[in-house]
């Protein structure tokens, strides 16, 4: 028979559950514009200026673009270079680590081109499960 003390020691001996890498990825690149901006920076192949990036990510606001770029920079996915001139000249570039995402992001883009429209329709195009029973009738209120 196990006692509460033996249960506690058995629980403490277990390693913590491994976190899901996809949850960690979503946390890393959180924000509506994070992935499109990161993708644009990766495919540009080099430094890109703020206004050029804003035009490419239309209709993003200047405030949101600044916020997302700072977040991506903090997380090590974007490198920011400020040139000491007037007016200030700032360029952004995907880091080598971020460039490793290119294949994955292209796969997601291809998947969206194939399935995205059917997933965004008002009436889902997903197949219905059949149970052998007729569907319930809708009440006429």
């Amino acid at each position: 028979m196990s006692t509460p003390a033996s249960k506690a020691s058995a629980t403490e001996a277990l390693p913590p559950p491994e976190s899901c890498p996809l949850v960690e990825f979503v946390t890393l690149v959180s924000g509506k514009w994070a992935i499109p901006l990161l993708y644009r920076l990766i495919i540009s192949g080099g430094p890109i200026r703020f206004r050029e990036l804003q035009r490419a990510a239309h209709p993003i606001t200047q405030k949101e673009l600044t916020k997302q770029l700072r977040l991506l920079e903090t997380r090590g996915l974007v490198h920011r270079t400020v040139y000491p001139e007037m007016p200030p000249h700032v360029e952004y570039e995907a880091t080598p680590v971020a460039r490793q995402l290119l294949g994955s992001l292209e796969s997601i883009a291809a998947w969206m081109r194939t399935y995205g429209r059917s997933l965004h329709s008002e009436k889902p195009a997903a197949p219905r499960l059949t149970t052998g029973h007729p569907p319930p009738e809708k009440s006429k209120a």
Side-chain angles (χ1 to χ4, degrees), residues 67-141:
K67 177 182 156 189
Q68 288 294 312
L69 287 170
R70 285 185 181 154
L71 184 64
L72 292 170
E73 181 182 11
T74 301
R75 294 183 171 163
L77 297 169
V78 170
H79 178 73
R80 178 176 178 252
T81 304
V82 180
Y83 296 93
E85 53 188 59
M86 285 309 249
H89 174 127
V90 182
E91 292 180 339
Y92 297 89
E93 187 172 10
T95 63
V97 170
R99 283 191 217 107
Q100 296 297 311
L101 288 168
L102 181 60
S104 299
L105 295 177
E106 285 179 336
S107 294
I108 292 168
W111 184 84
M112 280 304 295
R113 281 187 216 96
T114 303
Y115 302 107
R117 288 186 182 209
S118 66
L119 297 172
H120 288 290
S121 65
E122 286 191 30
K123 293 187 179 183
R128 295 185 69 184
L129 296 176
T130 56
T131 60
H133 301 287
E137 291 188 29
K138 292 182 182 177
S139 63
K140 296 179 183 176

Side-chain angles (χ1 to χ4, degrees), residues 37 40-41 47-66 69 80-81 87-92:
L37 288 172
R40 175 60 58 187
L41 286 164
I48 185 169
R49 294 188 71 170
F50 185 90
R51 292 284 177 223
E52 187 180 349
L53 194 53
Q54 188 176 18
R55 279 191 297 273
H58 181 74
I60 192 170
T61 64
Q62 181 175 341
K63 181 180 177 181
E64 186 63 26
L65 178 56
T66 300
L69 287 170
R80 178 176 178 252
T81 304
H89 174 127
V90 182
E91 292 180 339
Y92 297 89

Side-chain angles (χ1 to χ4, degrees), residues 8-67:
S9 62
T11 304
E12 290 171 11
L14 293 175
E18 190 175 323
S19 60
C20 176
L22 294 178
V23 170
E24 292 177 29
F25 175 75
V26 169
T27 302
L28 185 69
V29 292
S30 61
K32 174 181 178 179
W33 294 99
I35 292 175
L37 288 172
L38 193 55
Y39 183 68
R40 175 60 58 187
L41 286 164
I42 292 168
I43 64 170
S44 71
I48 185 169
R49 294 188 71 170
F50 185 90
R51 292 284 177 223
E52 187 180 349
L53 194 53
Q54 188 176 18
R55 279 191 297 273
H58 181 74
I60 192 170
T61 64
Q62 181 175 341
K63 181 180 177 181
E64 186 63 26
L65 178 56
T66 300
K67 177 182 156 189

